[in-house]
Amino acid sequence: MAKLVYIVSVGHSGSTLLDIVIGTIPRVISTGECTYLPWQIFRRGESDPNAAKEDVCSCLKSFYECPEWNSVINYLNNRVGFDLYKNPYKFRIALLRPHQYNGKKQPLDRMILGLYVRLIQRKYLRFASHILGLSCKNIVHNNWLLFDAITKVRGAEYVVDSSKDFSRVHLLHSVRKSDVSLILLIRDVRGIAASAVKRGDNPLEAAQAWKFFYIRVIKALRWINVPIIKVRYENLCENPIKQRKIIAEFLGLPDPGEQMTINTHDHHLVAGNPMRYKGNIDIKCDKYWHKALDKKLCLKLQFYNEELADMMGKLLFEE
Ligand SMILES: [Zn+2]
């Protein structure tokens, strides 16, 4: 039976990097945003060679050619009774995601998600889980089937999934409570805003989305009994070996030691940040927000950071 390490965060927080760092711990398999596996198989890894290839495994082979995914998918084919390569969308694992990831429109998904978001922050969480669980029972089952297949075929104990959304881990946890560990990854909101500027997005809107996301997750976590650890992106970049040691201890695994070399091509990530194709990675801390953001916005965002830290200290962690 697989154990799941699930990373919860907003986008552009370094979840792909963290996923790979955890995947360097023995008996732990890094998978990226596993929720997109059927969609990636559907894309066939045949994108325009001149375009950025985002539909191949991080080992740079298509999901048909990657030996690791090939073994896992062949194992799954025997379990589910159909060929995932021929009919990837029949294996539904994307929870409440836009229809291109599921193969067909799911009109109820949006409505259910809206209701879920309202309920999840309150003590009606169990009710929310019940509603969502009923409508997504098959999807939840398939996710666990996939995680079990990965650990069985690749001889591991833990699977890391950096799909990031909270609803997904909430449901996976609701059916196998003792098999889920949660990592709450938080990046300094000034880094989130600066990253938005880089992409041409509105930095304040990105910061507000960051704040809304974490407040909602922290409120919801009051009602779920799941082992949880907080990781700051900046700490991960400053001392990845120390953070990896802390995470291994949290998972009950032996200290992986003081050596860490990362070549993304040695891992088999489904989706995530394009850095997964980089090859050798030298982890650096980029605090470039002072250049990207004006002083006034930086001060305002620092207040967001403090507000969240205060809320977490009161509700979740001893800060
Ligand atoms: Zn691969």
Side-chain angles (χ1 to χ4, degrees):
M1 295 277 267
K3 289 179 186 166
L4 174 67
V5 185
Y6 192 91
I7 301 170
V8 172
S9 75
V10 285
H12 308 283
S13 296
S15 59
T16 304
L17 175 66
L18 178 61
D19 193 321
I20 298 173
V21 167
I22 302 171
T24 64
I25 302 173
R27 300 195 56 73
V28 181
I29 300 277
S30 182
T31 68
E33 299 185 21
C34 217
T35 188
Y36 297 122
L37 181 65
W39 177 58
Q40 292 286 50
I41 295 172
F42 174 78
R43 296 165 86 195
R44 302 190 65 86
E46 292 171 351
S47 58
D48 178 352
N50 297 317
K53 280 198 164 196
E54 287 272 349
D55 53 359
V56 294
C57 179
S58 57
C59 70
L60 302 181
K61 292 187 172 78
S62 78
F63 289 91
Y64 292 77
E65 292 160 340
C66 166
E68 299 295 346
W69 282 112
N70 204 268
S71 313
V72 169
I73 290 165
N74 285 330
Y75 177 87
L76 272 174
N77 287 345
N78 288 326
R79 297 294 307 272
V80 296
F82 59 87
D83 189 347
L84 258 84
Y85 280 128
K86 285 188 182 151
N87 203 348
Y89 284 138
K90 201 171 169 185
F91 188 66
R92 284 193 68 200
I93 56 169
L95 198 70
L96 304 172
R97 294 275 177 169
H99 65 89
Q100 75 262 34
Y101 307 126
N102 271 319
K104 57 181 177 181
K105 285 189 178 171
Q106 310 291 334
L108 269 179
D109 278 11
R110 223 182 158 77
M111 205 180 84
I112 295 167
L113 183 63
L115 184 63
Y116 173 81
V117 166
R118 279 169 183 77
L119 289 173
I120 199 168
Q121 299 173 60
R122 307 202 175 92
K123 57 186 171 185
Y124 310 116
L125 190 67
R126 195 172 288 177
F127 181 59
S129 143
H130 192 63
I131 294 178
L132 205 59
L134 280 177
S135 59
C136 305
K137 204 173 167 187
N138 197 30
I139 301 179
V140 173
H141 172 77
N142 284 345
N143 273 285
W144 278 115
L145 206 60
L146 173 64
F147 297 137
D148 287 341
I150 294 168
T151 51
K152 171 106 182 157
V153 172
R154 298 182 60 188
E157 194 178 340
Y158 281 92
V159 175
V160 191
D161 182 340
S162 50
S163 297
K164 303 191 291 284
D165 59 310
F166 183 73
S167 55
R168 181 174 165 79
V169 71
H170 175 214
L171 281 180
L172 294 173
H173 175 259
S174 70
V175 296
R176 271 171 57 173
K177 289 195 167 51
S178 55
D179 293 333
V180 178
S181 301
L182 196 150
I183 297 183
L184 188 61
L185 172 65
I186 302 172
R187 183 177 183 181
D188 189 308
V189 71
R190 293 168 294 181
I192 295 287
S195 157
V197 171
K198 222 174 168 180
R199 299 190 308 277
D201 292 340
N202 182 319
L204 189 59
E205 276 175 18
Q208 281 164 344
W210 173 94
K211 189 171 149 181
F212 177 73
F213 177 88
Y214 286 107
I215 288 177
R216 185 160 60 84
V217 169
I218 290 164
K219 281 184 178 173
L221 280 169
R222 283 182 297 179
W223 313 106
I224 303 176
N225 190 14
V226 60
I228 175 165
I229 189 169
K230 182 184 69 180
V231 173
R232 287 202 177 277
Y233 170 72
E234 290 72 22
N235 293 347
L236 175 70
C237 294
E238 263 162 33
N239 197 339
I241 290 171
K242 184 181 171 191
Q243 291 303 310
R244 181 178 67 168
K245 186 189 169 110
I246 293 170
I247 293 167
E249 199 182 334
F250 164 67
L251 298 175
L253 292 169
D255 180 0
E258 298 301 313
Q259 296 297 317
M260 185 193 292
T261 46
I262 294 183
N263 186 328
T264 60
H265 301 158
D266 297 337
H267 297 267
H268 302 275
L269 274 74
V270 172
N273 189 285
M275 60 79 68
R276 70 189 186 278
Y277 297 125
K278 254 186 177 174
N280 288 316
I281 297 259
D282 182 21
I283 302 175
K284 279 187 204 137
C285 208
D286 53 355
K287 288 184 178 172
Y288 61 90
W289 59 68
H290 301 290
K291 290 180 198 159
L293 309 173
D294 67 59
K295 217 173 173 182
K296 211 171 153 190
L297 184 59
C298 262
L299 282 172
K300 185 183 170 99
L301 297 185
Q302 182 54 13
F303 183 67
Y304 278 25
N305 277 332
E306 282 162 19
E307 220 179 340
L308 188 70
D310 188 44
M311 191 171 173
M312 262 194 295
K314 278 184 194 143
L315 296 176
L316 268 183
F317 302 96
E318 304 284 339
E319 284 272 282

